[in-house]
Amino acid sequence: MTGTTQDDYTERYARRVRGMTTSEIRALFAVASRPEVVSLAGGSPYIAALPLDAVGEMMGRLASELGTTSLQYGIGQGTIELRERICEVMSLSGIDASTGASPDDVVVTVGGQQGLDLVARLFLDPGDVVLAEGPTYVGALGVFQAAQAQVRHVAMDADGLIPAALEAAVVAAAGRAKFLYTIPTYQNPAGVTLTDARRDEILDICERHGLLVVEDDPYGMLGFEGEAPRPLRARRREGIIYVSTFSKTFAPGLRVGWILAPHAVREKLVMANEANILCPSAFAQGAVTQYLSTMPWREQIKSYREIYRERRDALLDSLRDLMPAGTTWTRPKGGLFVWATLPEGLDSKAMMPRAVAARVAYVPGTGFYADGTGAGHMRLNFSFPPPERIREGVRRLAGVMEQELAMRAVFGPTTTHRRRGHAGADAPGPDLA
């Protein structure tokens, strides 16, 4: 029957499907895309900043002049032309030939998301443990949970992943941890960056325990305050799988990302890629190759940095001016996100319908923890709305929070409040502010 939610195929699904749930972000898209809603929810880059006329002409030439190859099948690893350009991009952050980076060990993927899926296919069996920052990227949680792995969160603070917490988590996993998944630079959702000193300490811990590192680096080129620390992969060549994407620095609609992996792993990644999608889109690869070869993409990244810095400042200033007492937040030096901690007693998931009614959207913190904790937090995006819309969104959000606090003062708590943390429903969690 049309409109029913009954699923007549439940008993036929594979076991791994039963744990699948809709992500907090995807569920918000339909609401947050309404023009009357100020969306601080998604992580969309500001595509209007691109020279769209020039990009359009480039796409036209790609079809008319190179259509016999760009509209054809390709190879599972991706074109050599794009892999060479990718190595040029990585060299800007210190991942170059001196660290063993080679086009031969790059595998082109359908965005960074497929890169994570390929890594999960290669390394995760049901019941395996993945260590990940708490909070962490919701898309990675979906991939790992679909692989029937257990995600155990490792605490962060304002300086990123805490080495002592990682050491304890590795020991507690008792040999079952397959890898550490980390976004060390301008982390999603927290916005914090792992310090230089901690990067080497984290790598030493992983090397000592034989723990593989999966470094996800979508935002590393989007720094606002000087250069970001060198990626983990720029410091060590062994034991690290590096995943990145052009979605944040060019165009997410093209869905082009990549993995840089040790040579033996690269062989398996290509086979997994061919089994998964046969080959990445030749047209999308050609578009990115042409963009990197013929257009001033470094200047475009500088433009993004300036735009996002202005919008980050607009968000931080608005939070300072308008948020109720007891609210704290991170102060990112790059990337797209601020992580806010609510006043004691507020529940970001329970509050979401009232926020939408007030025409403002955010992502509740529960989406970024495998165990559903994090209701005392929310993720706020600043890359897409202009500064004046950001301030209006924060004004609306602050009004909702003030109403929630007033109701709580009169009627007391109305929900079982599951706050932050990685160790249980009421774990205090780290202070990331």
Side-chain angles (χ1 to χ4, degrees):
M1 182 185 299
T2 302
T4 182
T5 58
Q6 180 178 341
D7 188 345
D8 294 331
Y9 299 90
T10 299
E11 298 304 317
R12 305 185 186 205
Y13 290 133
R15 283 191 294 272
R16 63 180 172 274
V17 175
R18 296 172 189 172
M20 289 183 176
T21 57
T22 301
S23 81
E24 302 276 357
I25 298 177
R26 193 179 77 175
L28 284 170
F29 277 166
V31 171
S33 61
R34 297 174 187 168
E36 70 273 16
V37 175
V38 179
S39 178
L40 305 174
S44 299
Y46 186 58
I47 296 301
L50 286 169
L52 294 177
D53 289 345
V55 171
E57 291 176 6
M58 180 193 76
M59 296 285 197
R61 291 193 302 273
L62 184 62
S64 62
E65 299 174 12
L66 301 172
T68 55
T69 54
S70 67
L71 299 176
Q72 186 57 273
Y73 286 116
I75 61 173
Q77 188 174 357
T79 68
I80 182 60
E81 294 82 7
L82 179 55
R83 287 185 278 124
E84 288 173 346
R85 299 292 86 73
I86 286 171
C87 284
E88 291 174 7
V89 171
M90 290 191 297
S91 71
L92 298 181
S93 57
I95 303 174
D96 54 24
S98 70
T99 65
S102 163
D104 288 343
D105 293 327
V106 171
V107 178
V108 178
T109 60
V110 183
Q113 185 70 18
Q114 195 221 359
L116 297 178
D117 183 72
L118 291 176
V119 170
R121 286 168 184 264
L122 259 59
F123 288 98
L124 295 179
D125 289 316
D128 282 342
V129 171
V130 174
L131 302 180
E133 294 142 344
T136 195
Y137 169 49
V138 64
L141 288 177
V143 166
F144 303 149
Q145 289 167 340
Q148 297 179 280
Q150 300 176 32
V151 177
R152 296 186 183 176
H153 291 295
V154 183
M156 290 188 294
D157 59 19
D159 292 329
L161 195 67
I162 300 172
L166 175 61
E167 183 88 47
V170 174
V171 172
R176 292 172 57 208
K178 281 293 185 72
F179 55 77
L180 167 67
Y181 169 72
T182 178
I183 311 170
T185 306
Y186 315 135
Q187 202 253 8
N188 177 9
V192 300
T193 295
L194 187 65
T195 61
D196 255 315
R198 282 193 183 180
R199 291 181 183 232
D200 290 325
E201 194 171 354
I202 294 295
L203 287 172
D204 287 344
I205 291 170
C206 292
E207 185 174 334
R208 186 164 62 251
H209 290 280
L211 184 67
L212 183 67
V213 177
V214 177
E215 179 180 17
D216 196 357
D217 189 23
Y219 313 104
M221 301 188 76
L222 296 176
F224 315 142
E225 300 177 11
E227 294 299 318
R230 286 186 304 138
L232 303 179
R233 180 56 183 79
R235 298 159 188 263
R236 309 273 171 95
R237 67 171 67 187
E238 298 299 329
I240 300 174
I241 295 176
Y242 179 86
V243 181
S244 193
T245 178
F246 291 105
S247 292
K248 305 303 186 291
T249 55
F250 180 25
L254 290 173
R255 309 305 304 129
V256 176
W258 73 91
I259 304 174
L260 175 67
H263 192 76
V265 176
R266 187 269 288 172
E267 294 276 347
K268 299 292 192 300
L269 285 168
V270 173
M271 288 188 284
N273 209 19
E274 291 171 342
N276 187 219
I277 60 167
L278 189 61
C279 61
S281 163
F283 189 84
Q285 291 181 81
V288 176
T289 302
Q290 290 297 306
Y291 178 74
L292 295 174
S293 302
T294 66
M295 301 189 73
W297 60 272
R298 291 177 179 83
E299 294 303 313
Q300 184 61 49
I301 289 175
K302 290 179 182 178
S303 176
Y304 275 135
R305 288 172 176 169
E306 293 168 2
I307 291 169
Y308 295 159
R309 181 192 299 112
E310 180 187 26
R311 295 180 179 198
R312 177 209 58 179
D313 292 346
L315 178 56
L316 294 180
D317 290 347
S318 300
L319 293 171
R320 180 198 64 207
D321 296 342
L322 299 170
M323 276 287 124
T327 312
T328 59
W329 51 87
T330 57
R331 292 161 178 79
K333 296 180 180 179
L336 309 182
F337 306 109
V338 166
W339 182 248
T341 300
L342 306 183
E344 185 65 38
L346 295 192
D347 184 317
S348 63
K349 190 167 186 177
M351 189 173 71
M352 190 67 208
R354 290 181 280 278
V356 170
R359 296 169 299 149
V360 63
Y362 57 84
V363 184
T366 50
F368 303 99
Y369 287 93
D371 57 5
T373 57
H377 304 280
M378 62 174 68
R379 191 191 75 176
L380 303 174
N381 167 258
F382 53 80
S383 62
F384 193 72
E388 62 275 12
R389 288 284 283 173
I390 289 174
R391 188 168 184 86
E392 174 59 20
V394 173
R395 186 192 67 78
R396 296 176 187 180
L397 179 56
V400 172
M401 292 169 62
E402 294 282 9
Q403 290 177 352
E404 292 285 303
L405 289 168
M407 290 176 62
R408 184 177 175 84
V410 174
F411 299 107
T414 56
T415 63
T416 300
H417 184 62
R418 302 178 75 201
R419 283 198 62 79
R420 32 191 168 162
H422 54 280
D426 299 309
D431 182 5
L432 300 179

